[in-house]
C-alpha cells in the first residue's frame, strides 16, 4: 500500500513512463484489486513507449486479471501418468504373520508383487463471483481419475485378490467462499462446503462418501500463508466378494488439517502440514486415530536450457502414527494394531511449453507396524 501511494504520486509527473503503470498494476494485483490492475495494464499497453519484455509481461498480466474479473471463471488441469510400484497392495514383507493368534507362513501368492499402471486425472474448478463487497463467490471443484494396472486379469472382484484393482473415482465439492471481515482483516478467507465422492474397483461399487466441512485461509503477509480445515465424511463400503464384512467398515471419517507455507527467499519455499484423522466405524477393530506430520522444500530456478521456462524441484518427508481401537481376534487377541509410517519423496517439474509440463517423481513409503501382518 505504501508502494502504491508512492507510484501514484509519480503518475502526476507528465514525463513518467508506462512502466510506472505496470508496477502499479502489479501491486494492485497482489492486493487482490483486479479491476484496478486491469485498468492500469490497459493504459500501459496503450502507451507505445512500452516495448519488449515489459510489453509481453504486461499483456500476460492483463490476460490474467481479465479472467479474474469475469463473473464465471473456469480453470483446470489434466495429467496422464505412468507409474511403477514395488508393492501396490501394501502387503507385508515378513515371512510369517499372525492368524487367530498363531504365526503362520505367508503364501507365495500373497507376498509383495510389483506392478505398473497408467492413469488419467482431471481437475476442474469453477468460481461464480457474487459481486458482493466481501469477495463472496461460489467455488466448486471436481476431481476425477482412472487407473489401469498392467497385471489385472479379471474384470470382477475376487474372493482372494492377488493383483491390484483397476480404479475409477471422482470427488466433487462446492461451497461459499468469502472474507468475513474484509475491512479489518483482509487476508482471511472462509469456505464452508459440501462434498460427495465415489470409488469403483473393477467397475464394481467399492466406496461412497458424502459430507462437508470448512476451510480457513489466512495470508498474513506476502511471504506467509496459513490454512486450517475440518471435514466429516460418512463413508459406505459396498458389500463385496473380497470382503464379506465390508459393512463393518461403514462409518464417519473426521479430518483436521493445518498448513503453514513460507517463502524463505525468491524461488524457495517451505511448507509444513499436520493432519489428524479419526475414523468411527461399525467395529472397534476398524476405528483409528492418526497423526501425520509432513514437511516439504521447493526451489524454482532457471531452466537448464537457455530458452526454457523455470524448473521446480520439491523434496518432502513425513511420518504418520495410526492407532486402532481394539485387537482383531482373527489376527492376535490382546494386541491392537499400530502403524508407524514413514515416507520420503522427490519430484521434478520440467515445463515443456506454457501449459504443458513433464513431472517426474519418486517416493518411498515404509510402515513399521507393531504386527508383522502390516509391516
Amino acid at each position: 500500500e505504501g508502494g502504491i501511494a508512492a507510484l501514484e504520486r509519480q503518475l502526476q509527473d507528465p514525463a513518467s513512463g508506462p512502466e510506472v503503470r505496470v508496477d502499479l498494476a502489479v501491486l494492485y494485483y497482489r492486493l487482490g484489486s483486479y479491476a484496478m490492475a486491469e485498468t492500469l495494464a490497459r493504459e500501459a499497453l496503450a502507451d507505445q513507449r512500452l516495448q519488449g519484455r515489459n510489453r509481453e509481461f504486461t499483456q500476460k498480466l492483463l490476460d490474467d486479471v481479465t479472467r479474474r474479473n469475469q463473473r464465471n471463471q473456469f480453470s483446470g488441469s489434466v495429467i496422464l501418468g505412468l507409474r511403477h510400484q514395488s508393492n501396490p497392495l501394501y502387503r507385508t514383507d515378513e515371512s510369517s504373520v499372525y492368524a487367530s493368534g498363531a504365526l503362520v507362513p505367508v503364501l507365495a501368492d500373497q507376498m509383495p508383487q510389483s506392478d505398473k499402471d497408467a492413469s488419467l486425472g482431471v481437475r476442474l474448478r469453477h468460481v461464480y463471483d457474487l459481486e458482493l463487497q466481501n469477495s463472496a463467490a461460489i467455488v466448486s471443484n471436481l476431481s476425477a481419475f482412472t487407473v489401469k494396472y498392467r497385471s489385472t486379469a479379471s474384470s470382477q472382484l475376487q474372493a482372494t485378490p492377488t493383483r491390484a484393482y483397476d480404479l475409477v473415482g471422482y470427488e466433487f465439492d462446492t461451497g461459499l467462499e468469502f472474507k468475513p471481515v474484509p475491512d479489518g482483516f483482509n487476508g482471511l478467507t472462509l469456505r464452508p462446503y459440501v462434498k460427495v465422492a465415489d470409488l469403483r474397483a473393477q467397475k464394481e461399487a467399492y466406496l461412497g462418501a458424502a459430507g462437508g466441512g470448512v476451510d480457513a485461509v489466512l495470508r498474513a503477509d506476502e511471504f506467509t500463508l496459513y490454512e486450517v480445515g475440518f471435514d466429516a465424511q460418512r463413508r459406505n463400503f459396498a458389500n463385496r466378494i473380497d470382503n464379506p464384512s465390508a459393512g463393518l467398515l461403514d462409518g464417519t471419517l473426521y479430518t483436521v488439517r493445518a498448513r503453514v507455507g513460507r517463502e524463505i527467499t525468491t524461488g524457495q519455499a517451505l511448507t509444513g502440514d499436520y493432519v489428524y484423522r479419526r475414523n468411527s466405524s461399525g467395529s472397534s477393530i476398524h476405528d483409528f486415530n492418526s497423526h501425520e506430520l509432513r514437511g516439504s522444500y521447493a526451489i524454482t530456478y532457471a531452466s537448464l536450457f537457455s530458452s526454457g521456462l523455470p524448473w521446480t524441484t520439491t523434496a518432502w518427508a513425513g511420518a504418520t502414527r495410526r492407532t486402532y481401537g481394539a485387537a482383531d481376534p482373527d489376527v492376535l487377541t490382546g494386541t491392537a494394531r499400530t502403524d508407524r509410517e514413514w515416507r520420503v519423496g522427490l519430484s521434478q517439474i520440467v515445463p515443456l511449453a506454457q501449459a504443458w509440463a513433464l513431472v517426474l517423481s519418486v517416493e518411498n513409503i515404509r510402515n513399521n507396524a507393531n504386527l508383522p501382518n502390516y509391516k
Side-chain angles (χ1 to χ4, degrees):
E1 291 173 343
I4 286 175
L7 289 172
E8 285 180 339
R9 287 194 295 270
Q10 289 187 33
L11 280 182
Q12 298 175 10
D13 182 356
S16 63
E19 291 80 9
V20 177
R21 283 184 166 78
V22 175
D23 291 341
L24 259 175
V26 170
L27 294 183
Y28 274 114
Y29 177 94
R30 295 177 74 161
L31 284 178
S33 300
Y34 301 124
M36 283 296 297
E38 181 178 354
T39 298
L40 289 162
R42 291 189 184 279
E43 291 175 354
L45 288 170
D47 192 326
Q48 296 304 313
R49 290 177 296 173
L50 188 70
Q51 296 296 329
R53 295 182 64 182
N54 284 339
R55 175 168 285 273
E56 180 182 345
F57 168 81
T58 307
Q59 185 62 56
K60 290 180 179 179
L61 178 66
L62 178 60
D63 293 341
D64 190 312
V65 294
T66 299
R67 287 192 297 269
R68 291 173 184 266
N69 282 326
Q70 294 174 350
R71 192 161 193 180
N72 284 285
Q73 302 168 34
F74 286 94
S75 60
S77 62
V78 177
I79 183 165
L80 176 65
L82 300 175
R83 175 176 56 174
H84 171 81
Q85 295 182 85
S86 62
N87 187 7
L89 291 181
Y90 273 55
R91 287 173 170 163
T92 180
D93 53 13
E94 298 287 294
S95 59
S96 300
V97 296
Y98 283 106
S100 299
L103 277 174
V104 298
V106 178
L107 300 178
D109 64 354
Q110 294 299 315
M111 294 293 288
Q113 299 181 49
S114 63
D115 206 345
K116 297 179 176 64
D117 67 80
S119 62
L120 175 66
V122 178
R123 292 181 179 178
L124 301 176
R125 179 179 177 87
H126 176 253
V127 178
Y128 181 75
D129 191 344
L130 296 177
E131 298 183 346
L132 301 176
Q133 294 302 312
N134 62 350
S135 303
I138 299 174
V139 180
S140 304
N141 300 290
L142 173 66
S143 298
F145 71 93
T146 180
V147 180
K148 171 65 178 176
Y149 283 91
R150 186 188 65 173
S151 64
T152 303
S154 171
S155 61
Q156 302 295 322
L157 302 181
Q158 300 175 9
T160 306
T162 59
R163 296 292 184 177
Y165 290 144
D166 293 341
L167 302 172
V168 177
Y170 79 87
E171 182 177 272
F172 174 77
D173 66 74
T174 185
L176 177 65
E177 183 178 275
F178 64 98
K179 294 182 177 179
V181 281
D183 295 329
F185 211 18
N186 194 51
L188 177 64
T189 300
L190 295 180
R191 179 176 174 259
Y193 61 87
V194 294
K195 175 189 291 186
V196 293
D198 184 74
L199 179 66
R200 306 186 78 82
Q202 305 298 109
K203 302 180 182 180
E204 301 278 347
Y206 197 85
L207 168 63
V214 60
D215 289 335
V217 178
L218 173 62
R219 186 172 293 281
D221 52 48
E222 293 188 6
F223 307 102
T224 310
L225 186 70
Y226 299 95
E227 299 178 54
V228 178
F230 166 80
D231 71 66
Q233 296 184 50
R234 178 66 187 180
R235 305 196 301 170
N236 296 297
F237 290 80
N239 290 323
R240 312 186 306 264
I241 190 174
D242 64 326
N243 190 348
S245 59
L248 295 177
L249 298 172
D250 293 352
T252 304
L253 178 65
Y254 303 92
T255 304
V256 177
R257 304 176 306 278
R259 167 176 287 184
V260 179
R262 175 73 179 178
E263 183 182 358
I264 55 178
T265 187
T266 302
Q268 298 183 41
L270 286 173
T271 303
D273 291 276
Y274 168 74
V275 181
Y276 168 75
R277 292 185 176 91
R278 178 177 179 272
N279 187 61
S280 175
S281 67
S283 172
S284 57
I285 64 174
H286 302 302
D287 295 346
F288 66 79
N289 290 279
S290 75
H291 301 268
E292 178 182 355
L293 288 173
R294 176 170 171 156
S296 67
Y297 168 74
I299 178 171
T300 300
Y301 48 93
S303 169
L304 300 184
F305 304 105
S306 58
S307 59
L309 296 168
W311 291 20
T312 299
T313 302
T314 304
W316 65 87
T320 302
R321 179 179 172 84
R322 189 182 304 109
T323 56
Y324 286 79
D328 185 349
D330 291 335
V331 178
L332 181 62
T333 302
T335 303
R337 173 182 174 182
T338 299
D339 292 337
R340 301 178 185 89
E341 191 173 280
W342 302 86
R343 61 177 62 207
V344 293
L346 184 70
S347 72
Q348 178 68 53
I349 300 178
V350 181
L352 304 178
Q354 193 63 42
W356 293 90
L358 175 67
V359 182
L360 306 171
S361 66
V362 59
E363 185 173 43
N364 181 264
I365 306 171
R366 180 73 185 177
N367 184 20
N368 293 319
N370 65 328
L371 295 172
N373 302 50
Y374 310 108
K375 283 189 177 181

